[in-house]
């Protein structure tokens, strides 16, 4: 290099001016015993690995596609000797579904409501990082099968031959999407390999072997029997939750509900008049003595479908806990979930109709009649609503409107897009807004499994915006982990304290509007038609007692 005017310029090499040549230092000789290239190291390691594999007897296994064995063969010839196990809804609905399918000629048995022991068994044999509904339901089946084997003396082969399990399924990333594989993995590890798990899809029918007469026939009779049991279970549960907080004699409501279950069970098994059975239940329920002028907070329970529906340890027995703390519980019905599924199909079909050009996708509208599909969905919704209304009227469930799915979608859309699916989707947001805006409940408890992404995202994320806009909302989101009852219940109690205050203020305001004292209101109610057990006042406020008083307003 040379310096010109303070700048460094390259010095000509090989006698050629202007040509830059970078001098490369000479390579140092490689010492003996050292490798000169990384490739040599990889080769040595590969050779060492192969030598060790041969020494240890570890033969190479040719990679192949993993396939999950899926034993599902269930034929008509096996029906009389095969017991179908199922469960997962409320106690009443599980019993009535069992009776309805027994009336069609199936041997069927409902499992008990899952408890913490089922949860422990599910965690022992299930995969890690599953949500609670999976652990509870899988463990509940394993616990039952272990009892057949260890307590009743059946061999594993007898159990495999004589029992199958029927469970709902659907598309999705969580327990519905992975249910079959989770069940089979746990069954295999628990010693019940090849036990049959039948998945009843919300869409697509039943996944099972074909080519032989099927053991479970999905015809109109099957679906009518199933819906009959589900709707009857809904209306019976709703009446029970209305009466129990106000009963004068503790346990009277449960005794009446149990008697009604037996009446409806018998009607379904014998396929006798269900209308007559529901009317008989109305007479049984009317015997319960109630005092509805007690100001109690109404608490709406929403959240992940299984967590808000189960009545056991899966949600820390939330419904009964709320009642023991002096609340009236507003439950969500399975019928409403069916209506939501119908709404999804209708919404998606209408959106696809707006696509430009032909939609030739496999699940699209090419070659179909979307207007006819929408008409059929509308008819299905109307039939379901009228069916529910009929059973409600016969059993004495007054003034219970099923939710308007279009309204829920409209009020929740600004906060939670209707296109997003998972869990209850936008319904959770809509229910909270309705509870406050339409005075349907003093408090809302959203319950979901620990780590449930759709439900946690709604409750812990979007709901913060909703409660900011509606500061009067008393909203409590709890996550269930199977062993956190004390923590969850203490959080619910804090919200209940506020809800009780709100219910008391509401009741005092109603008495002031009616110009009555509490004693005068009780005297006025006594002996009137409003004092009948199954009477329910018009909805104005959230509290039942306040609505009774408001009906006395001149």
């Amino acid at each position: 290099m040379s310096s010109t005017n303070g700048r460094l310029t390259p010095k000509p090499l090989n006698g050629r001016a202007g040509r830059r040549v970078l001098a490369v230092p000479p390579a140092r000789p490689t010492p003996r015993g050292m490798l000169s290239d990384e490739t040599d190291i990889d080769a040595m390691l590969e050779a060492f690995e192969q030598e060790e594999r041969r020494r240890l007897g570890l033969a190479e296994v040719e990679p192949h596609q993993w396939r999950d064995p899926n034993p599902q063969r269930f034929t008509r010839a096996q029906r009389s000797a095969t017991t179908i196990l199922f469960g997962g809804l409320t106690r009443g609905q599980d019993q009535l579904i069992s009776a309805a399918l027994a009336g069609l000629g199936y041997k069927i048995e409902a499992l008990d409501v899952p408890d913490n022991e089922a949860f422990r068994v599910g965690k022992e044999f299930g995969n890690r990082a599953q949500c609670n509904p999976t652990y509870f339901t899988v463990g509940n089946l394993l616990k039952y099968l272990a009892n057949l084997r260890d307590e009743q003396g059946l061999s594993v082969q007898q159990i495999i031959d004589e029992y199958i399990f029927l469970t709902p399924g659907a598309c999705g990333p969580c327990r519905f999407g992975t249910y079959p594989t989770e069940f089979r993995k746990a069954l295999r590890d628990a010693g019940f390999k090849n036990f049959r798990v039948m998945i009843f899809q919300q869409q697509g029918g039943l996944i099972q072997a074909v080519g032989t007469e099927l053991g479970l026939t999905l015809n109109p009779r099957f679906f009518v029997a199933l819906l009959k049991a589900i709707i009857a279970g809904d209306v019976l549960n709703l009446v029970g939750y209305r009466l129990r907080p106000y009963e004068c004699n503790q346990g009277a409501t449960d005794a009446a509900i149990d008697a009604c279950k037996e009446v409806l069970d018998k009607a379904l098994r014998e396929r006798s008049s269900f209308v007559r059975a529901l009317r008989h239940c109305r007479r049984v329920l009317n015997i319960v003595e109630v005092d509805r002028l007690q100001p109690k907070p109404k608490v709406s329970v929403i959240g992940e479908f299984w967590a808000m529906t189960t009545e056991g340890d899966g949600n820390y027995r939330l419904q009964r806990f709320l009642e023991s703390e002096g609340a009236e519980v507003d439950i969500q019905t399975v019928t409403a979930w069916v209506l939501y599924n119908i709404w999804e199909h209708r919404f998606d079909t209408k959106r696809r109709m707006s696509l430009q050009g032909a939609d030739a996708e496999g699940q699209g509208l090419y070659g179909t009649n979307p207007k006819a599909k929408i008409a059929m969905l509308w008819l299905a919704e109307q039939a379901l609503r009228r069916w529910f209304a009929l059973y409600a009227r016969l059993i004495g469930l007054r003034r219970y409107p099923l939710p308007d799915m279009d309204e829920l979608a409209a009020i929740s859309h600004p906060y939670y897009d209707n296109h997003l699916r998972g869990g209850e989707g936008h319904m959770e947001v809509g229910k909270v807004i309705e509870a406050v805006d339409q005075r349907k409940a003093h408090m809302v408890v959203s319950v979901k499994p620990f780590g449930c992404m759709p439900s946690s995202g709604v409750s812990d994320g979007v709901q913060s915006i909703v409660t900011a806009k509606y500061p009067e909302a008393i909203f409590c989101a709890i996550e269930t982990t199977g062993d956190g009852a004390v923590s969850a219940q203490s959080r619910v109690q804090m919200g209940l304290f506020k809800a009780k205050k709100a219910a008391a203020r509401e009741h005092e305001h109603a008495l002031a509007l009616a110009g009555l004292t509490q004693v005068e209101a009780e005297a006025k109610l006594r002996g009137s038609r409003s004092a009948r057990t199954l009477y329910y006042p018009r909805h104005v406020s959230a509290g039942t007692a306040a609505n009774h008083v408001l009906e006395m307003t001149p």
Side-chain angles (χ1 to χ4, degrees):
M1 304 287 286
S2 62
S3 176
T4 305
N5 297 328
R7 295 183 181 179
L8 295 177
T9 57
K11 186 178 180 180
L13 299 177
N14 300 330
R16 298 179 183 178
R19 180 179 177 186
R20 296 180 62 185
V21 179
L22 297 180
V24 179
R28 288 179 290 182
T30 302
R32 181 177 298 179
M34 293 184 62
L35 299 175
S36 60
D37 197 299
E38 291 183 0
T39 305
D40 296 334
I41 299 177
D42 294 337
M44 283 186 62
L45 290 175
E46 178 69 22
F48 176 76
E49 180 184 353
Q50 296 301 326
E51 182 179 345
E52 288 298 297
R53 283 184 173 276
R54 286 191 295 271
R55 185 177 66 82
L56 297 173
L58 300 177
E60 287 287 342
V61 178
E62 184 180 353
H64 62 279
Q65 176 65 41
W66 178 81
R67 297 186 183 278
D68 185 20
N70 186 10
Q72 289 192 327
R73 184 177 178 83
F74 177 44
T75 65
R76 186 183 296 272
Q78 297 171 326
R79 184 185 295 177
S80 61
T82 303
T83 300
I84 301 174
L85 305 173
F86 81 102
L89 298 179
T90 64
R91 289 181 177 89
Q93 283 166 324
D94 284 348
Q95 179 178 345
L96 296 182
I97 291 173
S98 177
L101 297 186
L104 297 181
Y106 297 100
K107 288 182 65 177
I108 191 158
E109 184 175 347
L111 300 178
D112 291 335
V113 175
D115 55 13
N116 280 331
E117 176 61 17
F119 176 75
R120 185 195 65 77
V121 174
K123 292 199 78 171
E124 179 181 355
F125 293 102
N127 279 310
R128 300 285 73 83
Q130 296 296 309
C131 65
N132 282 354
T134 302
Y135 288 137
F136 274 103
T137 50
V138 172
N140 205 36
L141 174 61
L142 294 179
K143 192 177 76 165
Y144 180 87
L145 298 183
N147 179 268
L148 291 178
R149 180 191 61 196
D150 302 335
E151 302 297 329
Q152 300 187 33
L154 274 66
S155 68
V156 172
Q157 192 58 48
Q158 278 181 289
I159 295 171
I160 292 172
D161 292 340
E162 298 174 9
Y163 291 85
I164 65 172
F165 182 69
L166 180 65
T167 184
C171 61
C174 55
R175 70 183 182 96
F176 278 145
T178 60
Y179 242 11
T181 302
E182 285 302 313
F183 268 103
R184 288 192 289 270
K185 185 267 180 194
L187 286 163
R188 181 174 63 248
D189 292 351
F192 298 100
K193 185 180 179 181
N194 295 326
F195 185 87
R196 292 165 290 175
V197 177
M198 318 294 282
I199 306 300
F200 181 80
Q201 292 291 95
Q202 293 179 24
Q203 305 175 25
L206 186 73
I207 303 175
Q208 61 176 343
V210 295
T212 315
E213 287 193 340
L214 301 180
L216 195 60
T217 306
L218 299 184
N219 54 21
R221 288 178 57 201
F222 176 88
F223 288 108
V224 167
L226 190 64
L227 284 173
K228 184 185 291 187
I230 288 174
I231 296 172
D234 273 340
V235 298
L236 191 59
N237 286 334
L238 288 166
V239 171
Y241 282 105
R242 278 186 174 183
L243 298 183
R244 199 159 32 243
Y246 303 100
E247 62 187 9
C248 296
N249 301 308
Q250 188 174 2
T253 302
D254 285 341
I257 293 293
D258 288 341
C260 290
K261 288 178 187 176
E262 294 304 317
V263 171
L264 298 177
D265 183 293
K266 183 179 179 182
L268 289 168
R269 289 181 186 275
E270 297 179 355
R271 302 184 67 190
S272 56
S273 174
F274 205 60
V275 169
R276 189 182 301 117
L278 288 167
R279 285 175 174 164
H280 180 79
C281 289
R282 183 172 183 162
R283 293 192 293 270
V284 171
L285 293 166
N286 258 321
I287 298 173
V288 179
E289 187 179 354
V290 296
D291 175 15
R292 285 210 183 86
L293 284 186
Q294 306 171 59
K296 291 179 177 286
K298 182 175 288 186
V299 180
S300 178
V301 177
I302 65 173
E304 191 270 337
F305 178 76
W306 186 87
M308 73 177 181
T309 303
T310 187
E311 298 169 321
D313 293 330
N315 63 6
Y316 309 129
R317 304 180 184 272
L318 179 62
Q319 298 92 333
R320 291 303 178 113
F321 173 75
L322 288 166
E323 288 181 346
S324 71
E325 293 292 317
E328 177 185 351
V329 181
D330 179 27
I331 61 170
Q332 308 302 315
T333 63
V334 181
T335 305
W337 176 255
V338 179
L339 288 173
Y340 175 60
N341 288 332
I342 293 174
W343 177 90
E344 284 183 306
H345 281 281
R346 190 175 72 243
F347 178 83
D348 292 345
T349 302
K350 287 182 178 179
R351 293 294 293 168
R352 281 190 175 276
M353 288 174 65
S354 66
L355 293 175
Q356 296 182 356
D359 179 9
E361 295 294 331
Q363 300 300 318
L365 300 177
Y366 181 78
T368 65
N369 187 342
K371 292 183 179 180
K373 181 179 180 179
I374 291 175
M376 290 297 295
L377 290 169
W378 182 86
L379 288 173
E381 179 181 351
Q382 297 307 309
L384 187 62
R385 289 183 179 276
R386 295 189 181 189
W387 200 348
F388 182 92
L390 172 63
Y391 283 10
R393 185 172 69 252
L394 290 171
I395 208 170
L397 177 67
R398 294 170 54 90
R399 292 176 174 146
Y400 183 85
L402 288 167
D404 185 328
M405 292 300 161
D406 289 325
E407 180 181 346
L408 280 174
I411 64 177
S412 61
H413 185 69
Y415 309 95
Y416 195 93
D417 196 291
N418 296 157
H419 292 89
L420 299 177
R421 303 293 159 80
E424 284 207 318
H426 63 264
M427 279 206 299
E428 286 191 44
V429 175
K431 288 172 183 176
V432 175
I433 295 174
E434 279 193 343
V436 181
D437 216 25
Q438 301 179 20
R439 299 178 182 176
K440 289 191 172 184
H442 298 103
M443 176 181 175
V444 178
V445 177
S446 178
V447 57
K448 68 273 186 182
F450 176 76
C452 177
M453 290 183 291
S455 200
S456 296
V458 171
S459 297
D460 300 334
V462 178
Q463 297 290 18
S464 61
I465 303 175
V466 175
T467 52
K469 183 173 181 180
Y470 297 89
E472 65 273 34
I474 304 174
F475 177 78
C476 177
I478 60 172
E479 291 188 332
T480 62
T481 61
D483 55 0
V486 174
S487 175
Q489 290 173 355
S490 65
R491 294 191 66 239
V492 172
Q493 283 176 323
M494 287 189 288
L496 268 177
F497 178 80
K498 300 177 185 178
K500 288 177 180 179
K501 294 290 186 183
R505 289 194 301 269
E506 179 188 73
H507 187 65
E508 291 170 2
H509 180 66
L511 287 171
L513 288 176
L516 300 169
T517 65
Q518 177 71 12
V519 174
E520 290 171 340
E522 290 173 353
K524 191 170 183 178
L525 180 65
R526 194 177 302 116
S528 68
R529 61 186 291 269
S530 301
R532 296 173 185 173
T533 301
L534 294 174
Y535 181 83
Y536 206 74
R538 291 188 302 273
H539 169 252
V540 179
S541 299
T544 300
N547 285 327
H548 267 291
V549 173
L550 289 172
E551 284 193 339
M552 302 176 190
T553 305

